[in-house]
Amino acid sequence: MFTWYKRGTPLERSTFWGCFAGWGLDALDVQMFTLAIPAIIAAYGIDHTQAGAISGVTLVSSAMGGWLAGALSDRIGRVRTLQITILWFAGFTFLCAFAQSFPQLLVLKALQGFGFGGEWAAGAVLMAETISTEHRGKAMGAVQSAWAVGWGGAVLLYAAAFSWLPSDTAWRVMFGVGLLPALLVLYVRRNLREPVRVAPSRAEPAVSVWAQIAQVFQPRVIKTTVIGAILGTGAHGGYYAIMTWLPTFLSKERHLSVLNTGGYLAVVIVAFWCGCMASAYLLDRIGRRRNIAFFAFSCIVTVLAYVMLPLSNTQMLVLGFPLGFFAAGIPASLGALFNELYPADMRGTGVGFCYNFGRIASAGFPVLVGYMSHSMSLGAAIGIDAAIAYGLAMVAVLLLPETRGKRLRPTAVEQASQPVADADFALDHPRSQR
């Protein structure tokens, strides 16, 4: 499983850790909100639908940020875009700590989302273009496990803050800590390098960022773009329907204390890390399509059992492991799959669009869960929404081609300037070109 890391170049390892840290700190910032929802509801006197709206607005803005950052990374480079997005989301997470009203928090969370979505898009393409073909699935699945690390850090911070501070102060302190990711820019500047790509011809006219985004709707790739967007919708919709409301479900419907809620979440988080690592192995073993379909079906079965069966607290604790394990498999697969579906000149744009369109479309799922909870239990609302979303993901991935072992396609300029085999080698081993 870790042979790829031992055999990797220093640049491959540095890129892995840079993206790992970025995605982990993303998770820290994002999951803090889901944990703080009960305190925010109390602080501003809002209901579940309004709280879900904050999550929904953040997802929409993160999708737009992913679109823009993906296109920007095709224009100014992956590493520069990564630095910009890290500073953006860290700064606005910090400012959320000072929100004095519900509308203020809504706006600040929306601005935070731009950087959050953009950071994933730039980092995913950077990873794909740096890691060798035969190990791409394992490396990109493993880097997704950083989400579990950041999520675990958020739970520890949540437990400490809400145990030692009044709730209205505790959630603000949590957001204040969100400034820490800004320090990651120092590591990125020193250790990460832009993948070698042949510069576009000067004769090629410059296009706007929006025109760059529009390229993913060209006839040669439009089918891939539409199906990829549907897959992203199902993957994100299922995840956010569960994870946005899971802490509230445990505390309000299962009546668990802060520390006990943290214990249940710890099981889910450890399982999420294990699921990412299992998916990373299976991606290069059984292929992208089978892996995603397997995890999507398993998610449907597990989440329905978790929120709808009359389980004891001990049974819920045990079932929390497969819940987190299977929820990890799909997001751990998307980076490798989406990168392998597009040529280099629109790779950042295509990856950013498919992954983040899912965020926009899935933004309605947390809101819908909150709305449905007025007429049914919160657990039932979570289960129904998540099952629909994961069913959509399972159908969509079966309509895409298998890309396991596929070399990243060069741009038209690269094809004209060197043989395809040499271009592929340069993309897969960026340090080999000078």
Side-chain angles (χ1 to χ4, degrees), residues 186-263:
L186 301 176
Y187 178 89
V188 171
R189 289 180 63 87
R190 291 191 58 183
N191 296 283
L192 274 60
R193 289 169 49 190
E194 188 67 24
V196 174
R197 293 184 296 155
V198 176
S201 168
R202 292 185 179 181
E204 291 186 20
V207 297
S208 68
V209 172
W210 294 111
Q212 180 81 23
I213 294 173
Q215 289 182 2
V216 299
F217 295 101
Q218 294 176 6
R220 61 182 174 132
V221 294
I222 188 170
K223 180 180 177 182
T224 295
T225 299
V226 171
I227 299 174
I230 294 172
L231 172 58
T233 298
H236 285 102
Y239 177 84
Y240 286 110
I242 299 169
M243 300 308 173
T244 298
W245 290 105
L246 185 60
T248 305
F249 169 73
L250 292 174
S251 63
K252 298 300 183 183
E253 290 202 358
R254 303 300 304 193
H255 307 294
L256 300 173
S257 67
V258 168
L259 292 179
N260 283 336
T261 298

